[in-house]
Amino acid sequence: MTSTAPLYPHRHLLGIEGLSHLDIEALLERAETYVALSRQVEKKTATLRGRTQINLFFEPSTRTQASFELAGKRLGADVMNMSVGSSSVKKGETLIDTAATLNAMRPDILVVRHHAAGAVNLLARKVDCSVVNAGDGAHEHPTQALLDALTIRRNKGRIAGLTVAICGDIVHSRVARSNIILLSALGAKVRLIAPSTLLPTGVERMGVEVFRDMRKGLEGVDIVMMLRLQLERMNGAFVPSSKEYFRYFGLDRDKLSLAAPDALVMHPGPMNRGVEISSEVADGAQSLIREQVEMGVAVRMAVLDALAQHLPNG
């Protein structure tokens, strides 16, 4: 399959920050072609035939790693998964040594998730292949933001002019940061809704509206994007209790009724039902959560395809 989407001019995808409006549109347009392909009986192409893709995950992952693996295999790549416990990575030298070892294997594309912000950028400077950031600390998760944008655009027909509320654990969320950058670049108005303890200091400088009252923040919004409490990144009590958190910041049918009548609900997963979202809303008619998973494969195929254009003889 040969994509007719505009050329993506970068060798890596390390974050949304630094991408132009045209770069983002190029990836989204390319992803559209892979949505159609993934719904066919024959889903494989030869785009990455003969290429090697290594998925290197220093943090546990189910859906992202599986999505990248499926994307690579559908494009014809030889895919190897390497899951590395974070306890084995103690110093920067270890990451550099890992990069040198992998580089000696001559992979074509390296997909990396790491618990430390900036680690993927460091690794990209030490290898000869293309690198995709699959999430680095609380920094960025570019393919999640791209799949969210694709999901919104396919359901709303546009992103410009929409009001998107991102709700929950903003301070620990790489998904929130990437989405703020991408959605703002495409003309959406972004609201953040969270208790003060879960908001980054100075986040208003990113051009967002901040609400500490969920009911006020949801008034009239077009998209409600929920985030889970990242308890594994919390040292200390950020919320009184899960029950109390759900009472004030969990999305239920009552709070959702404050949004626009045709508002849609999203969640990057995994969900904590009864903590940040009720099952009634998560499984309801306004939910796009399952569609996000489908769009994830298409977006990752698009990213791998775009990077393949920069490989030797690609």
Side-chain angles (χ1 to χ4, degrees):
M1 178 178 178
T2 302
S3 174
T4 58
L7 181 67
Y8 176 78
H10 307 285
R11 181 180 162 216
H12 307 299
L13 177 61
L14 302 178
I16 299 299
E17 190 171 25
L19 297 186
S20 69
H21 185 286
L22 290 177
D23 294 338
I24 295 168
E25 288 290 350
L27 291 172
L28 293 179
E29 288 182 34
R30 195 178 295 265
E32 287 283 4
T33 66
Y34 286 117
V35 174
L37 178 69
S38 293
R39 291 178 176 178
Q40 297 176 8
V41 175
E42 177 54 58
K43 300 175 174 64
K44 295 195 72 171
T45 76
T47 304
L48 292 180
R49 180 182 293 166
R51 302 295 190 178
T52 301
Q53 171 188 330
I54 298 179
N55 297 332
L56 179 63
F57 280 63
F58 292 90
E59 283 187 323
S61 170
T62 301
R63 67 186 64 214
T64 302
Q65 184 168 332
S67 185
F68 269 112
E69 180 179 3
L70 189 57
K73 288 180 175 178
R74 284 185 179 174
L75 291 172
D78 296 317
V79 182
M80 181 175 73
N81 292 318
M82 293 182 63
S83 297
V84 183
S86 59
S87 61
S88 67
V89 183
K90 299 293 186 182
K91 299 179 180 179
E93 289 82 1
T94 304
L95 180 62
I96 292 171
D97 287 343
T98 300
T101 300
L102 292 174
N103 199 50
M105 297 178 186
R106 298 189 179 277
D108 298 290
I109 297 175
L110 198 56
V111 179
V112 185
R113 169 169 287 187
H114 199 280
H115 62 275
V120 181
N121 295 58
L122 172 63
L123 194 147
R125 295 197 295 269
K126 303 295 181 179
V127 297
D128 299 321
C129 62
S130 291
V131 176
V132 182
N133 183 358
D136 62 328
H139 179 229
E140 281 228 42
H141 194 347
T143 58
Q144 181 68 48
L146 287 164
L147 75 88
D148 289 341
L150 182 63
T151 305
I152 293 170
R153 195 170 73 170
R154 288 178 63 86
N155 283 274
K156 289 292 189 180
R158 62 189 173 95
I159 291 176
L162 296 179
T163 300
V164 180
I166 304 176
C167 316
D169 188 355
I170 310 293
V171 71
H172 298 108
S173 178
R174 53 195 171 214
V175 172
R177 188 170 187 276
S178 289
N179 264 304
I180 290 168
I181 298 168
L182 189 151
L183 293 171
S184 298
L186 296 186
K189 299 175 183 177
V190 180
R191 297 180 183 179
L192 302 183
I193 303 173
S196 296
T197 53
L198 295 178
L199 286 167
T201 302
V203 72
E204 293 89 348
R205 291 194 293 269
M206 296 187 75
V208 298
E209 286 187 276
V210 175
F211 292 83
R212 293 168 177 82
D213 182 322
M214 190 173 191
R215 300 184 73 87
K216 289 183 179 178
L218 288 179
E219 289 179 0
V221 303
D222 302 294
I223 301 290
V224 184
M225 187 179 296
M226 300 305 300
L227 302 174
R228 71 180 179 90
L229 289 177
Q230 297 193 41
L231 300 176
E232 72 277 11
R233 301 186 194 278
M234 296 183 184
N235 294 316
F238 282 74
V239 297
S241 68
S242 295
K243 183 177 180 181
E244 191 77 359
Y245 180 80
F246 182 75
R247 178 183 176 187
Y248 291 103
F249 291 96
L251 186 65
D252 54 21
R253 182 60 59 187
D254 177 55
K255 295 190 191 76
L256 182 58
S257 69
L258 299 168
D262 60 347
L264 297 171
V265 177
M266 304 176 72
H267 194 305
M271 288 185 289
N272 293 315
R273 293 171 183 261
V275 178
E276 75 270 1
I277 190 169
S278 70
S279 290
E280 182 184 16
V281 172
D283 301 327
Q286 291 169 273
S287 174
L288 297 177
I289 295 170
R290 297 290 175 258
E291 186 174 337
Q292 286 175 269
V293 177
E294 180 188 4
M295 294 304 110
V297 177
V299 158
R300 286 156 186 144
M301 290 177 75
V303 168
L304 296 173
D305 177 11
L307 296 184
Q309 312 305 313
H310 300 281
L311 298 176
N313 301 317

